[in-house]
Each structure stands twice: as structure tokens, then as C-alpha cells.
Amino acid sequence: MKYQRRSVLAFLCAAGAVAALPRAARAQDFPSRPIRIIVPLPPGGSNDVLARILGQKMSESFGQPVLVENKPGAAGNIATDYLAKSEADGYTIAVAPNQTVAVNPVLYADLPFDVLTDIQGITMLGRVPMVLVVSPKIPAASVSELIALAGQRQQSLSYASAGSGSPQHMAAEVFKSMTDIELTHIPYKGTAPALVDVLAGRVDIMFCPLNSALPHIRDGKLRALGATGLTRIALLPDVPTIAETVPGFESDIWIGMIAPAGTPAGVIQRLNAELRRALELPEVRQTLAEQGIVAESSTAADFNKLIASDQKRWAGVIEAAHIKPD
């Protein structure tokens, strides 16, 4: 009887080891075929730029093609859902701005995925600072002057955003709550049309991504009052942070890379190491900086913590401001 039990136990252990072999081998041999990077937004923006620059460096290092596939739509939810339902083998990964993994999960009630259980972080990739800009018709040269102007006007100032739940929208709501001023939200379908109306003076102000605002600031068509991060922007060293006037204010855009939950730890580690290596290359950092992107990396664990903590933060903002999706 003891012999039979030992035989059965040995058989089960061996079977388990054999079953584990393909998974372990996949992690050890990764990658052995092309990798796809899903981008939740159209070509040309910061997410797309990061995917293509880092994809090229990954391809050179791995010796495998790295393909970039744009899947825009539904505020990024289409791409995130696709990623969540992909094979958890590391061959399909996705760029993840904070809107898709930290804001949308607490803004939309019936998403077909749960970021905290269906997705895992690989690493941070970078931050895109935003700038509070005003149209030429607004007589404010600083954040304090804008706050004072808003308090004097009978009709509230208007602000443009790329849509409900967008980083621009969330930054403005945080600004409203911390300064106790009234602002009227004018949502658009993307940054470009929103910026057009601010430039034309049809909308008063906007929290705008640096890469979109910078040419117009340099041309004098927009006035930059403050940066949304905790430090000044290298490309605009004379523009103070909003936090210098409103202590504690911070609302940058961050972007990371994610994989389906259950992706082998060894594969996550390999991807993390390669992406972090690429982000440290001087030519990569310089190219990203020219696009208004500040390179930044992290461990997978720290990125997962950031996603979870930001979900809690934005849930509070969304509830307090009664924000609803478009």
C-alpha cells in the first residue's frame, strides 16, 4: 500500500513538473516570435511615439519583430479589453496611459474587464507634463491672476478638454476643488479640436499636454500660466508649477506598459528589464524629450501599486465632481 501511494505521489509530481515545463520554457526562451504592442489611441500621439521608439529598441535587442497596432476607440477601453483577453504569454502587451487603467475603471460602471485582476503592470514608461494655457483674450499672466479673475467674473470661465475623464478634464476638476473657483467644462473628442477653440478664443483656458501646446506657446498664440507637475518643465523653465501657487496640486499624464494577468513572472521580468534598458539610452531620452515626454521607469510591482493608488485618487475626484462618461 505504501509503495502504491508513493508511486501515485511520484507520478503526480512528475506530471506537474512536465505540465510546468512549457510555461517555464516559454519564460526562459522568450521571445521566440514577434511581439505586438497595442496602442489605445490613434497614431501620432505620445502613446504611439513611446510604442514605436521602444518597439524598435526591443526588436534590436530581442532579434524579433515588434509590431505596433493602434486600437483606438471608447476612450481606450477597446484596446484595454482586447489586451485583458489576450493570451498571457508576453507576446501581446499594451501601452497604458493613466486614463485607461486608473480613470476609466472608476468612471465607467460596466467595463468588461477589471484592471486590478485581469491586467498586470510591466513598467512605467514616462510622463507627459501638461500646461495650463489661456487664450490671448484672457487678461491673466499668472495662476494667481487667473484665480482672481475667475472670482470677479459673473460668468464662469470655460475650459476645454479631450472629453469626460480625460487627463485635461481631471486636472481642471482638481484645480477647481483646490482653488474654490467655478469653471465650465466644454468637452471635445480629442485634444486637437479642443485646442483649436482655445486658440480661437472660443474657450478660455485648457490644461493641455506639453507636446500639443508648446508650438503655440512659443509662437505667442497661447499664454502658459503653470505646469501641472511637481517640478518645472525643462522646455519651459520660466513657467512656474501650479503647485507654487496652489500647494499640493499635481496632475500629470503618466504612461506605462501592461500585460494580461497570468503572464509568467520570468516574461514580465524580461520585458521590464528590456524596456528599462531602452529608456536609459541617451538617444531615446532625447527623442522623447523633444516630443514632450519625460522618460521614467519602475519595477512591475511599483507600477501595479501606482495603478491601484491612482484609481482610489480619481474615484474620489469623480465622485466629488459628479463626473459622468460622455
Side-chain angles (χ1 to χ4, degrees):
M1 182 67 69
K2 288 183 179 180
Y3 174 76
Q4 289 179 337
R5 287 178 180 173
R6 287 175 182 171
S7 298
V8 170
L9 181 60
F11 172 78
L12 291 174
C13 290
V18 169
L21 275 176
R23 194 175 187 87
R26 284 199 298 270
Q28 185 176 358
D29 298 337
F30 180 88
S32 58
R33 54 187 171 87
I35 296 171
R36 280 194 307 163
I37 300 177
I38 306 301
V39 179
L41 295 165
S46 301
N47 293 264
D48 189 64
V49 167
L50 273 164
R52 294 182 189 281
I53 291 174
L54 295 174
Q56 178 184 350
K57 294 301 180 183
M58 291 168 68
S59 179
E60 292 169 1
S61 179
F62 286 152
Q64 293 288 344
V66 177
L67 313 174
V68 175
E69 183 177 343
N70 297 84
K71 284 186 175 293
N77 290 327
I78 290 174
T80 310
D81 183 47
Y82 181 86
L83 186 278
K85 293 176 171 58
S86 296
E87 184 73 22
D89 55 11
Y91 289 98
T92 302
I93 57 179
V95 174
N98 51 351
Q99 180 177 359
T100 64
V101 292
V103 177
N104 287 357
V106 292
L107 178 62
Y108 293 85
D110 299 312
L111 290 178
F113 58 87
D114 184 331
V115 166
L116 299 182
T117 58
D118 297 336
I119 284 167
Q120 63 187 93
I122 299 173
T123 180
M124 272 280 286
L125 300 179
R127 293 182 184 269
V128 180
M130 287 190 290
V131 187
L132 172 55
V133 295
V134 298
S135 74
K137 73 172 188 176
I138 298 299
S142 67
V143 172
S144 59
E145 289 183 12
L146 181 70
I147 294 170
L149 178 66
Q152 295 165 4
R153 288 169 61 109
Q154 292 183 343
Q155 184 176 359
S156 65
L157 293 168
S158 60
Y159 75 91
S161 84
S164 293
S166 66
Q168 300 96 318
H169 183 196
M170 304 307 286
E173 291 299 332
V174 173
F175 186 71
K176 283 173 57 178
S177 68
M178 295 183 72
T179 57
D180 198 28
I181 63 173
E182 287 298 320
L183 298 172
T184 299
H185 183 207
I186 311 295
Y188 292 79
K189 292 186 180 298
T191 297
L195 191 55
V196 166
D197 275 6
V198 178
L199 286 163
R202 289 186 285 270
V203 183
D204 298 320
I205 70 174
M206 181 178 180
F207 288 82
C208 189
L210 175 64
N211 53 347
S212 297
L214 191 59
H216 306 295
I217 294 170
R218 287 174 169 167
D219 289 345
K221 296 176 181 177
L222 290 175
R223 189 180 308 117
L225 303 188
T228 63
L230 296 178
T231 59
R232 293 194 181 196
I233 299 170
L235 295 174
L236 294 172
D238 295 329
V239 176
T241 66
I242 295 173
E244 291 176 46
T245 302
V246 185
F249 180 91
E250 187 271 326
S251 192
D252 271 355
I253 299 169
W254 54 252
I255 304 171
M257 192 77 81
I258 56 176
T263 301
V267 170
I268 294 292
Q269 290 168 6
R270 186 85 195 275
L271 289 167
N272 176 276
E274 178 53 34
L275 286 165
R276 297 180 78 176
R277 182 200 68 80
L279 287 165
E280 288 299 322
L281 295 173
E283 66 270 24
V284 169
R285 299 181 77 87
Q286 179 62 33
T287 301
L288 293 178
E290 291 169 356
Q291 298 290 324
I293 304 168
V294 181
E296 181 179 336
S297 65
S298 69
T299 65
D302 284 344
F303 186 42
N304 285 325
K305 289 177 184 176
L306 176 63
I307 293 171
S309 65
D310 262 27
Q311 280 195 18
K312 292 180 180 179
R313 179 195 183 193
W314 294 122
V317 173
I318 288 166
E319 182 178 2
H322 306 291
I323 297 172
K324 302 293 182 184
D326 292 332

